[in-house]
Amino acid sequence: MSHAHHHFDGPADAGNRPLQRAYGVAIALNLAFVILEFIIGRTSHSIGLVSDAGHKLLDVLMLGLALVGFRLARRPAADARRISAVIAMINTAVLLFAVVMIVLESVGKLAEPAPVDGAVISWTAAAGIIVSGASAWLLMRHRGDINTRAAFLHMAADSLLSLGVVVAGIVISRTGWLPVDPLISLVIAAVILFNTLRLLVDAFRTLRG
């Protein structure tokens, strides 16, 4: 699943307070859920939830970049783009490390599946769909800005990944087939990697420009 293209140009209107508040609330919602989902994933031994938390961390970083664009909009355009690009490159390093850890743990879980609670996985991922949906709704009214339109599409698409985790939890509850948990985490890791590499390419292009 491909997410919207990342842009490093800050919006022209730095004084757009409602839009900045929308970003602030969306960041807070997603960051809180990242922490909650990671804790639940670790305590329930679900690598699927941990990897989904890693994917939502990508959401937080992407929203943070857009918000940085607001803060830097008063600077010369080239400076704003370059600073955002440097921040993006730092973020990609964190995400690439997360992908490596997810893949290693997923492979280990495939070799020796650990018992997990399918119901906990499903309900937690369902809460993630609500968080992504609420974030998309907050940004929906401001889709005139290209960065916000990208963020809106990103959040809407994320709901589908969380739905995949919900299905994995249902499969475990109904059949007891534990490998579905690390398998779904590998799919999510691939999505994180794809979008992280796109972000890295965008950052390099910006710095070279």
Side-chain angles (χ1 to χ4, degrees):
M1 184 185 306
S2 176
H3 289 305
H5 190 72
H6 293 272
H7 299 270
F8 297 106
D9 295 333
D13 183 11
N16 193 335
R17 300 300 178 188
L19 181 51
Q20 291 191 60
R21 282 196 295 270
Y23 270 103
V25 173
I27 290 171
L29 279 174
N30 283 275
L31 183 58
F33 187 77
V34 165
I35 296 170
L36 177 64
E37 188 173 35
F38 179 80
I39 292 173
I40 294 176
R42 297 304 297 181
T43 55
S44 65
H45 308 291
S46 171
I47 186 61
L49 287 179
V50 172
S51 58
D52 193 48
H55 186 256
K56 282 188 167 50
L57 179 61
L58 178 61
D59 297 344
V60 174
L61 299 178
M62 183 270 298
L63 290 170
L65 280 173
L67 190 56
V68 167
F70 283 112
R71 304 301 185 188
L72 298 176
R74 295 183 186 276
R75 290 173 175 261
D79 289 347
R81 286 196 300 271
R82 284 184 171 84
I83 293 173
S84 293
V86 170
I87 295 172
M89 292 180 70
I90 295 172
N91 288 340
T92 57
V94 174
L95 289 166
L96 289 173
F97 175 77
V99 167
V100 171
M101 298 305 297
I102 289 171
V103 170
L104 290 176
E105 189 162 354
S106 297
V107 171
K109 290 287 177 102
L110 280 172
E112 297 181 14
V116 294
D117 190 330
V120 170
I121 293 174
S122 293
W123 284 110
T124 304
I129 295 175
I130 294 173
V131 169
S132 294
S135 300
W137 179 80
L138 284 169
L139 299 173
M140 182 173 60
R141 294 169 295 174
H142 306 282
R143 284 181 293 171
D145 168 58
I146 191 169
N147 288 319
T148 303
R149 187 162 64 249
F152 167 78
L153 293 172
H154 197 133
M155 292 296 166
D158 281 354
S159 298
L160 295 179
L161 280 178
S162 293
L163 180 60
V165 181
V166 171
V167 172
I170 293 174
V171 169
I172 292 172
S173 297
R174 299 287 185 179
T175 69
W177 191 53
L178 298 176
V180 70
D181 182 58
L183 285 174
I184 197 68
S185 73
L186 287 173
V187 172
I188 295 173
V191 174
I192 298 173
L193 179 61
F194 176 74
N195 287 283
T196 299
L197 291 177
R198 289 182 67 193
L199 183 63
L200 185 61
V201 169
D202 283 353
F204 270 120
R205 285 176 177 170
T206 301
L207 288 175
R208 289 181 63 183

PDB file of all heavy atoms in Angstrom, residues 19-53:
ATOM      1  N   LEU A  19      -5.691  25.055  11.569  1.00  0.00           N
ATOM      2  CA  LEU A  19      -4.992  23.940  10.947  1.00  0.00           C
ATOM      3  C   LEU A  19      -3.853  23.452  11.841  1.00  0.00           C
ATOM      4  O   LEU A  19      -3.627  22.250  11.993  1.00  0.00           O
ATOM      5  CB  LEU A  19      -4.459  24.355   9.574  1.00  0.00           C
ATOM      6  CG  LEU A  19      -3.709  23.276   8.777  1.00  0.00           C
ATOM      7  CD1 LEU A  19      -4.526  21.998   8.690  1.00  0.00           C
ATOM      8  CD2 LEU A  19      -3.373  23.785   7.391  1.00  0.00           C
ATOM      9  N   GLN A  20      -3.144  24.395  12.463  1.00  0.00           N
ATOM     10  CA  GLN A  20      -2.071  24.002  13.377  1.00  0.00           C
ATOM     11  C   GLN A  20      -2.621  23.234  14.569  1.00  0.00           C
ATOM     12  O   GLN A  20      -2.027  22.260  15.022  1.00  0.00           O
ATOM     13  CB  GLN A  20      -1.311  25.246  13.849  1.00  0.00           C
ATOM     14  CG  GLN A  20      -0.493  25.918  12.751  1.00  0.00           C
ATOM     15  CD  GLN A  20       0.451  26.963  13.317  1.00  0.00           C
ATOM     16  OE1 GLN A  20       1.310  26.653  14.131  1.00  0.00           O
ATOM     17  NE2 GLN A  20       0.304  28.196  12.874  1.00  0.00           N
ATOM     18  N   ARG A  21      -3.793  23.659  15.068  1.00  0.00           N
ATOM     19  CA  ARG A  21      -4.414  22.932  16.178  1.00  0.00           C
ATOM     20  C   ARG A  21      -4.829  21.533  15.742  1.00  0.00           C
ATOM     21  O   ARG A  21      -4.685  20.565  16.510  1.00  0.00           O
ATOM     22  CB  ARG A  21      -5.626  23.705  16.705  1.00  0.00           C
ATOM     23  CG  ARG A  21      -5.272  24.892  17.594  1.00  0.00           C
ATOM     24  CD  ARG A  21      -6.482  25.356  18.379  1.00  0.00           C
ATOM     25  NE  ARG A  21      -7.518  25.879  17.491  1.00  0.00           N
ATOM     26  CZ  ARG A  21      -7.605  27.154  17.114  1.00  0.00           C
ATOM     27  NH1 ARG A  21      -6.702  28.023  17.539  1.00  0.00           N
ATOM     28  NH2 ARG A  21      -8.582  27.551  16.325  1.00  0.00           N
ATOM     29  N   ALA A  22      -5.336  21.418  14.523  1.00  0.00           N
ATOM     30  CA  ALA A  22      -5.734  20.107  14.015  1.00  0.00           C
ATOM     31  C   ALA A  22      -4.532  19.163  13.971  1.00  0.00           C
ATOM     32  O   ALA A  22      -4.615  17.994  14.369  1.00  0.00           O
ATOM     33  CB  ALA A  22      -6.356  20.243  12.626  1.00  0.00           C
ATOM     34  N   TYR A  23      -3.393  19.687  13.498  1.00  0.00           N
ATOM     35  CA  TYR A  23      -2.179  18.881  13.480  1.00  0.00           C
ATOM     36  C   TYR A  23      -1.744  18.516  14.902  1.00  0.00           C
ATOM     37  O   TYR A  23      -1.340  17.381  15.160  1.00  0.00           O
ATOM     38  CB  TYR A  23      -1.048  19.633  12.776  1.00  0.00           C
ATOM     39  CG  TYR A  23      -0.988  19.388  11.291  1.00  0.00           C
ATOM     40  CD1 TYR A  23      -1.455  20.337  10.389  1.00  0.00           C
ATOM     41  CD2 TYR A  23      -0.464  18.203  10.787  1.00  0.00           C
ATOM     42  CE1 TYR A  23      -1.407  20.111   9.027  1.00  0.00           C
ATOM     43  CE2 TYR A  23      -0.404  17.972   9.427  1.00  0.00           C
ATOM     44  CZ  TYR A  23      -0.877  18.937   8.549  1.00  0.00           C
ATOM     45  OH  TYR A  23      -0.820  18.700   7.203  1.00  0.00           O
ATOM     46  N   GLY A  24      -1.825  19.476  15.809  1.00  0.00           N
ATOM     47  CA  GLY A  24      -1.405  19.216  17.185  1.00  0.00           C
ATOM     48  C   GLY A  24      -2.220  18.121  17.836  1.00  0.00           C
ATOM     49  O   GLY A  24      -1.681  17.222  18.495  1.00  0.00           O
ATOM     50  N   VAL A  25      -3.534  18.164  17.643  1.00  0.00           N
ATOM     51  CA  VAL A  25      -4.409  17.140  18.219  1.00  0.00           C
ATOM     52  C   VAL A  25      -4.141  15.791  17.572  1.00  0.00           C
ATOM     53  O   VAL A  25      -4.069  14.762  18.260  1.00  0.00           O
ATOM     54  CB  VAL A  25      -5.898  17.540  18.051  1.00  0.00           C
ATOM     55  CG1 VAL A  25      -6.804  16.392  18.486  1.00  0.00           C
ATOM     56  CG2 VAL A  25      -6.209  18.794  18.850  1.00  0.00           C
ATOM     57  N   ALA A  26      -3.979  15.775  16.250  1.00  0.00           N
ATOM     58  CA  ALA A  26      -3.711  14.520  15.548  1.00  0.00           C
ATOM     59  C   ALA A  26      -2.390  13.900  16.007  1.00  0.00           C
ATOM     60  O   ALA A  26      -2.303  12.681  16.212  1.00  0.00           O
ATOM     61  CB  ALA A  26      -3.687  14.755  14.040  1.00  0.00           C
ATOM     62  N   ILE A  27      -1.368  14.729  16.186  1.00  0.00           N
ATOM     63  CA  ILE A  27      -0.079  14.227  16.670  1.00  0.00           C
ATOM     64  C   ILE A  27      -0.223  13.647  18.069  1.00  0.00           C
ATOM     65  O   ILE A  27       0.290  12.557  18.361  1.00  0.00           O
ATOM     66  CB  ILE A  27       0.976  15.348  16.649  1.00  0.00           C
ATOM     67  CG1 ILE A  27       1.356  15.703  15.211  1.00  0.00           C
ATOM     68  CG2 ILE A  27       2.232  14.930  17.428  1.00  0.00           C
ATOM     69  CD1 ILE A  27       2.232  16.938  15.097  1.00  0.00           C
ATOM     70  N   ALA A  28      -0.931  14.357  18.946  1.00  0.00           N
ATOM     71  CA  ALA A  28      -1.111  13.889  20.321  1.00  0.00           C
ATOM     72  C   ALA A  28      -1.868  12.560  20.357  1.00  0.00           C
ATOM     73  O   ALA A  28      -1.482  11.631  21.092  1.00  0.00           O
ATOM     74  CB  ALA A  28      -1.854  14.945  21.134  1.00  0.00           C
ATOM     75  N   LEU A  29      -2.930  12.458  19.563  1.00  0.00           N
ATOM     76  CA  LEU A  29      -3.726  11.226  19.514  1.00  0.00           C
ATOM     77  C   LEU A  29      -2.873  10.043  19.057  1.00  0.00           C
ATOM     78  O   LEU A  29      -2.871   8.975  19.687  1.00  0.00           O
ATOM     79  CB  LEU A  29      -4.906  11.394  18.558  1.00  0.00           C
ATOM     80  CG  LEU A  29      -6.156  12.110  19.082  1.00  0.00           C
ATOM     81  CD1 LEU A  29      -7.161  12.303  17.941  1.00  0.00           C
ATOM     82  CD2 LEU A  29      -6.792  11.319  20.220  1.00  0.00           C
ATOM     83  N   ASN A  30      -2.153  10.238  17.968  1.00  0.00           N
ATOM     84  CA  ASN A  30      -1.371   9.139  17.408  1.00  0.00           C
ATOM     85  C   ASN A  30      -0.184   8.770  18.287  1.00  0.00           C
ATOM     86  O   ASN A  30       0.144   7.583  18.421  1.00  0.00           O
ATOM     87  CB  ASN A  30      -0.905   9.503  16.001  1.00  0.00           C
ATOM     88  CG  ASN A  30      -2.000   9.368  14.971  1.00  0.00           C
ATOM     89  OD1 ASN A  30      -2.239   8.288  14.434  1.00  0.00           O
ATOM     90  ND2 ASN A  30      -2.697  10.460  14.691  1.00  0.00           N
ATOM     91  N   LEU A  31       0.470   9.770  18.892  1.00  0.00           N
ATOM     92  CA  LEU A  31       1.602   9.474  19.761  1.00  0.00           C
ATOM     93  C   LEU A  31       1.146   8.693  20.997  1.00  0.00           C
ATOM     94  O   LEU A  31       1.805   7.727  21.413  1.00  0.00           O
ATOM     95  CB  LEU A  31       2.304  10.766  20.177  1.00  0.00           C
ATOM     96  CG  LEU A  31       3.562  10.595  21.036  1.00  0.00           C
ATOM     97  CD1 LEU A  31       4.587   9.732  20.304  1.00  0.00           C
ATOM     98  CD2 LEU A  31       4.163  11.955  21.378  1.00  0.00           C
ATOM     99  N   ALA A  32       0.017   9.107  21.581  1.00  0.00           N
ATOM    100  CA  ALA A  32      -0.520   8.391  22.738  1.00  0.00           C
ATOM    101  C   ALA A  32      -0.852   6.949  22.369  1.00  0.00           C
ATOM    102  O   ALA A  32      -0.565   6.008  23.129  1.00  0.00           O
ATOM    103  CB  ALA A  32      -1.762   9.107  23.269  1.00  0.00           C
ATOM    104  N   PHE A  33      -1.414   6.767  21.170  1.00  0.00           N
ATOM    105  CA  PHE A  33      -1.772   5.414  20.770  1.00  0.00           C
ATOM    106  C   PHE A  33      -0.539   4.578  20.456  1.00  0.00           C
ATOM    107  O   PHE A  33      -0.519   3.366  20.719  1.00  0.00           O
ATOM    108  CB  PHE A  33      -2.709   5.439  19.557  1.00  0.00           C
ATOM    109  CG  PHE A  33      -3.243   4.071  19.216  1.00  0.00           C
ATOM    110  CD1 PHE A  33      -4.253   3.509  19.967  1.00  0.00           C
ATOM    111  CD2 PHE A  33      -2.686   3.339  18.176  1.00  0.00           C
ATOM    112  CE1 PHE A  33      -4.728   2.236  19.677  1.00  0.00           C
ATOM    113  CE2 PHE A  33      -3.149   2.072  17.885  1.00  0.00           C
ATOM    114  CZ  PHE A  33      -4.173   1.519  18.632  1.00  0.00           C
ATOM    115  N   VAL A  34       0.499   5.191  19.881  1.00  0.00           N
ATOM    116  CA  VAL A  34       1.750   4.467  19.632  1.00  0.00           C
ATOM    117  C   VAL A  34       2.276   3.864  20.929  1.00  0.00           C
ATOM    118  O   VAL A  34       2.641   2.679  20.997  1.00  0.00           O
ATOM    119  CB  VAL A  34       2.814   5.399  19.004  1.00  0.00           C
ATOM    120  CG1 VAL A  34       4.207   4.772  19.096  1.00  0.00           C
ATOM    121  CG2 VAL A  34       2.480   5.682  17.546  1.00  0.00           C
ATOM    122  N   ILE A  35       2.307   4.683  21.972  1.00  0.00           N
ATOM    123  CA  ILE A  35       2.817   4.219  23.271  1.00  0.00           C
ATOM    124  C   ILE A  35       1.934   3.103  23.826  1.00  0.00           C
ATOM    125  O   ILE A  35       2.428   2.052  24.272  1.00  0.00           O
ATOM    126  CB  ILE A  35       2.893   5.394  24.263  1.00  0.00           C
ATOM    127  CG1 ILE A  35       3.898   6.440  23.769  1.00  0.00           C
ATOM    128  CG2 ILE A  35       3.274   4.898  25.660  1.00  0.00           C
ATOM    129  CD1 ILE A  35       3.879   7.735  24.554  1.00  0.00           C
ATOM    130  N   LEU A  36       0.610   3.310  23.776  1.00  0.00           N
ATOM    131  CA  LEU A  36      -0.329   2.313  24.304  1.00  0.00           C
ATOM    132  C   LEU A  36      -0.234   1.004  23.525  1.00  0.00           C
ATOM    133  O   LEU A  36      -0.164  -0.087  24.123  1.00  0.00           O
ATOM    134  CB  LEU A  36      -1.753   2.866  24.230  1.00  0.00           C
ATOM    135  CG  LEU A  36      -2.870   1.907  24.680  1.00  0.00           C
ATOM    136  CD1 LEU A  36      -2.716   1.589  26.156  1.00  0.00           C
ATOM    137  CD2 LEU A  36      -4.239   2.519  24.398  1.00  0.00           C
ATOM    138  N   GLU A  37      -0.223   1.091  22.200  1.00  0.00           N
ATOM    139  CA  GLU A  37      -0.191  -0.122  21.380  1.00  0.00           C
ATOM    140  C   GLU A  37       1.128  -0.870  21.556  1.00  0.00           C
ATOM    141  O   GLU A  37       1.145  -2.107  21.580  1.00  0.00           O
ATOM    142  CB  GLU A  37      -0.406   0.231  19.910  1.00  0.00           C
ATOM    143  CG  GLU A  37      -0.577  -0.989  19.022  1.00  0.00           C
ATOM    144  CD  GLU A  37      -0.949  -0.633  17.594  1.00  0.00           C
ATOM    145  OE1 GLU A  37      -0.470   0.415  17.101  1.00  0.00           O
ATOM    146  OE2 GLU A  37      -1.694  -1.397  16.972  1.00  0.00           O
ATOM    147  N   PHE A  38       2.221  -0.121  21.688  1.00  0.00           N
ATOM    148  CA  PHE A  38       3.515  -0.773  21.902  1.00  0.00           C
ATOM    149  C   PHE A  38       3.520  -1.541  23.222  1.00  0.00           C
ATOM    150  O   PHE A  38       3.967  -2.697  23.283  1.00  0.00           O
ATOM    151  CB  PHE A  38       4.640   0.261  21.896  1.00  0.00           C
ATOM    152  CG  PHE A  38       6.005  -0.325  22.139  1.00  0.00           C
ATOM    153  CD1 PHE A  38       6.697  -0.945  21.107  1.00  0.00           C
ATOM    154  CD2 PHE A  38       6.586  -0.271  23.396  1.00  0.00           C
ATOM    155  CE1 PHE A  38       7.951  -1.502  21.329  1.00  0.00           C
ATOM    156  CE2 PHE A  38       7.838  -0.821  23.628  1.00  0.00           C
ATOM    157  CZ  PHE A  38       8.524  -1.442  22.590  1.00  0.00           C
ATOM    158  N   ILE A  39       3.005  -0.910  24.270  1.00  0.00           N
ATOM    159  CA  ILE A  39       2.969  -1.572  25.592  1.00  0.00           C
ATOM    160  C   ILE A  39       2.092  -2.817  25.548  1.00  0.00           C
ATOM    161  O   ILE A  39       2.472  -3.888  26.039  1.00  0.00           O
ATOM    162  CB  ILE A  39       2.464  -0.585  26.668  1.00  0.00           C
ATOM    163  CG1 ILE A  39       3.492   0.529  26.887  1.00  0.00           C
ATOM    164  CG2 ILE A  39       2.195  -1.322  27.984  1.00  0.00           C
ATOM    165  CD1 ILE A  39       3.009   1.633  27.802  1.00  0.00           C
ATOM    166  N   ILE A  40       0.907  -2.695  24.960  1.00  0.00           N
ATOM    167  CA  ILE A  40       0.005  -3.845  24.867  1.00  0.00           C
ATOM    168  C   ILE A  40       0.627  -4.938  24.002  1.00  0.00           C
ATOM    169  O   ILE A  40       0.548  -6.138  24.325  1.00  0.00           O
ATOM    170  CB  ILE A  40      -1.362  -3.428  24.295  1.00  0.00           C
ATOM    171  CG1 ILE A  40      -2.076  -2.489  25.266  1.00  0.00           C
ATOM    172  CG2 ILE A  40      -2.235  -4.656  24.014  1.00  0.00           C
ATOM    173  CD1 ILE A  40      -3.387  -1.938  24.743  1.00  0.00           C
ATOM    174  N   GLY A  41       1.273  -4.528  22.909  1.00  0.00           N
ATOM    175  CA  GLY A  41       1.914  -5.506  22.037  1.00  0.00           C
ATOM    176  C   GLY A  41       3.001  -6.287  22.747  1.00  0.00           C
ATOM    177  O   GLY A  41       3.113  -7.510  22.587  1.00  0.00           O
ATOM    178  N   ARG A  42       3.803  -5.597  23.545  1.00  0.00           N
ATOM    179  CA  ARG A  42       4.888  -6.278  24.258  1.00  0.00           C
ATOM    180  C   ARG A  42       4.343  -7.189  25.357  1.00  0.00           C
ATOM    181  O   ARG A  42       4.816  -8.315  25.528  1.00  0.00           O
ATOM    182  CB  ARG A  42       5.846  -5.253  24.877  1.00  0.00           C
ATOM    183  CG  ARG A  42       6.573  -4.367  23.874  1.00  0.00           C
ATOM    184  CD  ARG A  42       7.351  -5.144  22.843  1.00  0.00           C
ATOM    185  NE  ARG A  42       8.432  -5.938  23.411  1.00  0.00           N
ATOM    186  CZ  ARG A  42       9.261  -6.678  22.707  1.00  0.00           C
ATOM    187  NH1 ARG A  42       9.138  -6.731  21.381  1.00  0.00           N
ATOM    188  NH2 ARG A  42      10.214  -7.368  23.286  1.00  0.00           N
ATOM    189  N   THR A  43       3.353  -6.694  26.101  1.00  0.00           N
ATOM    190  CA  THR A  43       2.831  -7.500  27.208  1.00  0.00           C
ATOM    191  C   THR A  43       2.010  -8.692  26.713  1.00  0.00           C
ATOM    192  O   THR A  43       1.926  -9.710  27.404  1.00  0.00           O
ATOM    193  CB  THR A  43       1.967  -6.640  28.145  1.00  0.00           C
ATOM    194  OG1 THR A  43       0.926  -5.999  27.391  1.00  0.00           O
ATOM    195  CG2 THR A  43       2.812  -5.575  28.832  1.00  0.00           C
ATOM    196  N   SER A  44       1.406  -8.564  25.525  1.00  0.00           N
ATOM    197  CA  SER A  44       0.602  -9.674  24.979  1.00  0.00           C
ATOM    198  C   SER A  44       1.399 -10.525  23.996  1.00  0.00           C
ATOM    199  O   SER A  44       0.852 -11.452  23.392  1.00  0.00           O
ATOM    200  CB  SER A  44      -0.652  -9.132  24.283  1.00  0.00           C
ATOM    201  OG  SER A  44      -0.306  -8.353  23.147  1.00  0.00           O
ATOM    202  N   HIS A  45       2.682 -10.198  23.817  1.00  0.00           N
ATOM    203  CA  HIS A  45       3.590 -10.938  22.935  1.00  0.00           C
ATOM    204  C   HIS A  45       3.141 -10.900  21.473  1.00  0.00           C
ATOM    205  O   HIS A  45       3.382 -11.843  20.720  1.00  0.00           O
ATOM    206  CB  HIS A  45       3.725 -12.397  23.387  1.00  0.00           C
ATOM    207  CG  HIS A  45       4.085 -12.545  24.828  1.00  0.00           C
ATOM    208  ND1 HIS A  45       5.319 -12.185  25.332  1.00  0.00           N
ATOM    209  CD2 HIS A  45       3.346 -12.986  25.898  1.00  0.00           C
ATOM    210  CE1 HIS A  45       5.344 -12.416  26.628  1.00  0.00           C
ATOM    211  NE2 HIS A  45       4.167 -12.895  26.994  1.00  0.00           N
ATOM    212  N   SER A  46       2.489  -9.798  21.070  1.00  0.00           N
ATOM    213  CA  SER A  46       2.025  -9.670  19.692  1.00  0.00           C
ATOM    214  C   SER A  46       2.962  -8.760  18.898  1.00  0.00           C
ATOM    215  O   SER A  46       2.955  -7.541  19.074  1.00  0.00           O
ATOM    216  CB  SER A  46       0.596  -9.106  19.643  1.00  0.00           C
ATOM    217  OG  SER A  46       0.236  -8.784  18.317  1.00  0.00           O
ATOM    218  N   ILE A  47       3.749  -9.354  18.019  1.00  0.00           N
ATOM    219  CA  ILE A  47       4.631  -8.562  17.170  1.00  0.00           C
ATOM    220  C   ILE A  47       3.812  -7.785  16.143  1.00  0.00           C
ATOM    221  O   ILE A  47       4.225  -6.742  15.640  1.00  0.00           O
ATOM    222  CB  ILE A  47       5.683  -9.464  16.482  1.00  0.00           C
ATOM    223  CG1 ILE A  47       6.706  -8.633  15.715  1.00  0.00           C
ATOM    224  CG2 ILE A  47       5.018 -10.467  15.571  1.00  0.00           C
ATOM    225  CD1 ILE A  47       7.499  -7.685  16.562  1.00  0.00           C
ATOM    226  N   GLY A  48       2.605  -8.281  15.847  1.00  0.00           N
ATOM    227  CA  GLY A  48       1.725  -7.561  14.931  1.00  0.00           C
ATOM    228  C   GLY A  48       1.340  -6.198  15.479  1.00  0.00           C
ATOM    229  O   GLY A  48       1.352  -5.193  14.758  1.00  0.00           O
ATOM    230  N   LEU A  49       1.003  -6.126  16.772  1.00  0.00           N
ATOM    231  CA  LEU A  49       0.674  -4.851  17.390  1.00  0.00           C
ATOM    232  C   LEU A  49       1.905  -3.955  17.494  1.00  0.00           C
ATOM    233  O   LEU A  49       1.816  -2.739  17.287  1.00  0.00           O
ATOM    234  CB  LEU A  49       0.080  -5.073  18.783  1.00  0.00           C
ATOM    235  CG  LEU A  49      -1.340  -5.636  18.845  1.00  0.00           C
ATOM    236  CD1 LEU A  49      -1.778  -5.809  20.300  1.00  0.00           C
ATOM    237  CD2 LEU A  49      -2.320  -4.745  18.101  1.00  0.00           C
ATOM    238  N   VAL A  50       3.048  -4.547  17.810  1.00  0.00           N
ATOM    239  CA  VAL A  50       4.281  -3.755  17.917  1.00  0.00           C
ATOM    240  C   VAL A  50       4.630  -3.133  16.566  1.00  0.00           C
ATOM    241  O   VAL A  50       4.987  -1.953  16.482  1.00  0.00           O
ATOM    242  CB  VAL A  50       5.454  -4.626  18.423  1.00  0.00           C
ATOM    243  CG1 VAL A  50       6.768  -3.863  18.344  1.00  0.00           C
ATOM    244  CG2 VAL A  50       5.189  -5.070  19.862  1.00  0.00           C
ATOM    245  N   SER A  51       4.491  -3.907  15.494  1.00  0.00           N
ATOM    246  CA  SER A  51       4.809  -3.378  14.168  1.00  0.00           C
ATOM    247  C   SER A  51       3.788  -2.336  13.736  1.00  0.00           C
ATOM    248  O   SER A  51       4.142  -1.347  13.074  1.00  0.00           O
ATOM    249  CB  SER A  51       4.873  -4.508  13.142  1.00  0.00           C
ATOM    250  OG  SER A  51       3.659  -5.225  13.089  1.00  0.00           O
ATOM    251  N   ASP A  52       2.530  -2.521  14.120  1.00  0.00           N
ATOM    252  CA  ASP A  52       1.517  -1.512  13.801  1.00  0.00           C
ATOM    253  C   ASP A  52       1.813  -0.217  14.553  1.00  0.00           C
ATOM    254  O   ASP A  52       1.609   0.883  14.029  1.00  0.00           O
ATOM    255  CB  ASP A  52       0.126  -2.027  14.163  1.00  0.00           C
ATOM    256  CG  ASP A  52      -0.987  -1.160  13.577  1.00  0.00           C
ATOM    257  OD1 ASP A  52      -0.918  -0.851  12.370  1.00  0.00           O
ATOM    258  OD2 ASP A  52      -1.909  -0.774  14.320  1.00  0.00           O
ATOM    259  N   ALA A  53       2.328  -0.348  15.786  1.00  0.00           N
ATOM    260  CA  ALA A  53       2.737   0.842  16.537  1.00  0.00           C
ATOM    261  C   ALA A  53       3.893   1.542  15.813  1.00  0.00           C
ATOM    262  O   ALA A  53       3.938   2.773  15.747  1.00  0.00           O
ATOM    263  CB  ALA A  53       3.166   0.448  17.953  1.00  0.00           C
TER     264      ALA A  53
END
